[in-house]
Amino acid sequence: MIEQHLNACKARVEACLVAQLNQLPRSEVQLADAVAYSLKVGGKRLRPALVYSAAASLRADLTLFPPNLTPLDLAAAAIESIHTYSLVHDDLPAMDNDDLRRGQPTVHRQYDEATAILVGDALQAWAFELLTQIDTLPADKVLAMVKELAQASGPKGMVLGQALDMRATGVFESADYLKQLHSLKTGALIRSALRLGAYCMNAGPKERRVLSAYGDAIGLCFQVVDDILDVTTDSATLGKTAGKDQEADKLTYVKLLGLEGAKAEAQHLCAQAKASVGDLPNPQVLVELADYICNRAN
Ligand code: IPE
Ligand code: IPE
Ligand code: MG
Ligand code: MG
Ligand code: MG
């Protein structure tokens, strides 16, 4: 059931991404090719699924595959674009220095470092352009969505988390520091995906608060599981190099709490997320998604 839902979300966002990528100008430089490469090589499309799932939890009917792009499709594509930019830059030699991403060579390996920097730059700006293409919601709603994504991804959100991550590499920090770092570098975009879905549905402040609380818990849970998978799973299954965190001496939940402690923390956060959504009109999809995020294999 959840697999079917995730596949349907994936198909919808990928159709939107391909349609939009086809509109990028081709030129003598490989920028559009490299942008398309970064997005098309795969990925679970989890953040898009959260956009659609937030809407489903507020009774959006996702069974119809609409002929035209909807606000949900553009919001889902926008957040996947920001997320992919964050991965392209995360993999750069100056950051995590990774060769493998989504089962393929990282962008700086496939092309070169300058191209990877520019792909990230391009994806970041493009995400906001996608949001501004929403023309079936009032302009003030679209503006609120632009602000939402900007705050979650910029110097108050994901980028701040990445800066905290770089600083904590090779040194030990407190549990509070790690919680803040993970909540920002990964949680902020996950929470934002849910809030974007809520905006598309014209949700009220109470529903937005519930979805934000779910996002806080499941966003942190997602990164705790990422830390666990780095030590328990092989590179082929992950589609990225396993064992990198220990090699780089990253501060992770496994380093802080040990493997069993990290697993218990992930379960605790998952339960917290599930308990938070009971008052939504259709919480089941978010409950199943929380279990998927906590128990995933890659
Ligand atoms: C990886 O995210 C980076 C983190 C924030 C932990 P995902 O595990 O969602 O990566 P893709 O999109 O499926 O490749
Ligand atoms: C990445 O965290 C978070 C962002 C890209 C914002 P990680 O460095 O743990 O992600 P992976 O393990 O390389 O996917
Ligand atoms: Mg990193
Ligand atoms: Mg990394
Ligand atoms: Mg990781």
Side-chain angles (χ1 to χ4, degrees):
M1 152 79 178
I2 192 68
E3 282 77 18
Q4 218 178 339
H5 170 69
L6 286 170
N7 285 338
C9 293
K10 196 170 191 210
R12 263 182 80 162
V13 75
E14 287 181 352
C16 178
L17 285 167
V18 167
Q20 297 293 317
L21 283 169
N22 286 340
Q23 292 176 29
L24 294 183
R26 304 279 145 181
S27 74
E28 48 285 292
V29 295
Q30 289 186 304
L31 182 65
D33 285 345
V35 167
Y37 174 84
S38 71
L39 276 167
K40 284 187 184 168
V41 288
K44 295 179 288 295
R45 314 301 193 196
L46 179 83
R47 291 147 196 84
L50 287 164
V51 174
Y52 293 114
S53 303
S57 78
L58 302 173
R59 292 223 174 89
D61 182 0
L62 299 178
T63 53
L64 301 170
F65 203 109
N68 299 317
L69 295 179
T70 66
L72 284 174
D73 296 321
L74 287 161
I79 197 130
E80 184 65 14
S81 182
I82 293 281
H83 166 61
T84 302
Y85 127 64
S86 82
L87 298 180
V88 172
H89 280 189
D90 182 74
D91 290 334
L92 283 168
M95 295 193 72
D96 290 353
N97 194 19
D98 266 300
D99 296 336
L100 187 69
R101 173 64 66 182
R102 295 174 163 175
Q104 300 291 325
T106 46
V107 178
H108 66 272
R109 285 279 170 209
Q110 181 73 13
Y111 295 88
D112 55 43
E113 213 174 311
T115 303
I117 292 168
L118 294 170
V119 164
D121 295 340
L123 287 170
Q124 180 174 192
W126 195 57
F128 293 100
E129 189 189 345
L130 293 175
L131 282 183
T132 64
Q133 285 182 43
I134 296 175
D135 58 5
T136 53
L137 291 176
D140 64 339
K141 263 292 118 65
V142 178
L143 185 61
M145 292 170 72
V146 168
K147 184 176 178 185
E148 167 62 43
L149 189 58
Q151 287 185 330
S153 56
K156 298 175 183 171
M158 181 272 289
V159 172
L160 176 57
Q162 288 287 66
L164 293 171
D165 179 289
M166 296 314 293
R167 186 182 157 274
T169 303
V171 294
F172 200 80
E173 281 289 347
S174 66
D176 283 349
Y177 184 100
L178 181 58
K179 184 177 177 192
Q180 190 199 15
L181 132 53
H182 274 23
S183 296
L184 287 169
K185 81 168 180 177
T186 300
L189 279 189
I190 286 183
R191 176 179 190 270
S192 192
L194 291 146
R195 289 173 59 86
L196 289 174
Y199 277 115
C200 292
M201 293 297 289
N202 220 355
K206 182 160 178 271
E207 290 168 328
R208 280 212 301 274
R209 264 199 308 278
V210 170
L211 287 167
S212 303
Y214 172 86
D216 286 338
I218 213 60
L220 183 54
C221 178
F222 184 89
Q223 185 59 48
V224 176
V225 174
D226 185 77
D227 292 350
I228 293 169
L229 293 174
D230 184 78
V231 301
T232 58
T233 309
D234 57 278
S235 302
T237 309
L238 287 179
K240 56 187 184 185
T241 314
K244 282 288 293 193
D245 292 338
Q246 206 178 5
E247 188 193 309
D249 198 17
K250 288 275 182 190
L251 181 59
T252 67
Y253 270 77
V254 175
K255 183 172 172 186
L256 185 81
L257 302 177
L259 184 56
E260 291 313 311
K263 284 182 180 172
E265 183 62 16
Q267 291 295 341
H268 165 73
L269 289 163
C270 178
Q272 194 181 318
K274 290 194 284 188
S276 68
V277 290
D279 287 343
L280 293 178
N282 181 23
Q284 191 52 28
V285 61
L286 294 178
V287 170
E288 288 183 35
L289 207 47
D291 283 327
Y292 164 79
I293 285 172
C294 190
N295 300 316
R296 67 205 168 93
N298 67 1

